[in-house]
Amino acid sequence: QVQLVESGGGLVQPGGSLRLSCAAAGSIFSVSAMRWYRQAPGKEREWVAGLISSSGITNYADSLKGRFTISSDSAKNTAYLQMNSLQPADTATYYCQIVGVTTAGRSFDSWGQGTQVTVSS
């Protein structure tokens, strides 16, 4: 079983920055993809960014390009989301997802518990 632990959320003023982390723990053989999503109150969960581990290719929701950056530390099986120029509209619970294969040869698709990001003055 692979568990994800998120951290880095909090309260930030408009224009500020935050860096979210998502650490995977367990019997991981390989990671194929890492993704971030967010869900604002009363809204559906939306995809934010993704990273393909083998190539390092990243992609982003169009509305967030240039402000958010996804990255990873493969040695630590950890994903990051750097968020700059934050606005009140970015207020949401942020979730990470990591997909890969365990040492037992089984695929896993794990989600973090969510971390709250609040942008307010």
Side-chain angles (χ1 to χ4, degrees):
Q1 185 176 3
V2 177
Q3 295 184 332
L4 307 186
V5 177
E6 297 184 40
S7 60
L11 173 64
V12 63
Q13 292 186 341
S17 299
L18 281 176
R19 188 193 195 205
L20 306 183
S21 299
C22 173
S27 301
I28 299 170
F29 175 73
S30 64
V31 170
S32 57
M34 297 175 167
R35 305 181 185 99
W36 287 94
Y37 296 79
R38 69 183 184 182
Q39 187 167 19
K43 295 186 177 181
E44 295 185 354
R45 187 172 298 188
E46 65 171 341
W47 172 76
V48 170
L51 180 149
I52 300 173
S53 299
S54 60
S55 64
I57 293 174
T58 59
N59 49 20
Y60 301 89
D62 287 342
S63 62
L64 301 176
K65 286 181 181 178
R67 294 197 299 124
F68 287 18
T69 303
I70 186 173
S71 62
S72 69
D73 183 334
S74 58
K76 296 180 180 179
N77 290 318
T78 299
Y80 303 98
L81 184 68
Q82 177 68 42
M83 306 183 294
N84 298 327
S85 301
L86 285 163
Q87 300 301 317
D90 296 316
T91 296
T93 301
Y94 285 72
Y95 298 90
C96 62
Q97 178 197 29
I98 296 181
V99 179
V101 179
T102 69
T103 54
R106 296 181 178 177
S107 298
F108 70 88
D109 180 349
S110 297
W111 288 78
Q113 80 281 11
T115 187
Q116 178 66 36
V117 172
T118 302
V119 184
S120 175
S121 56

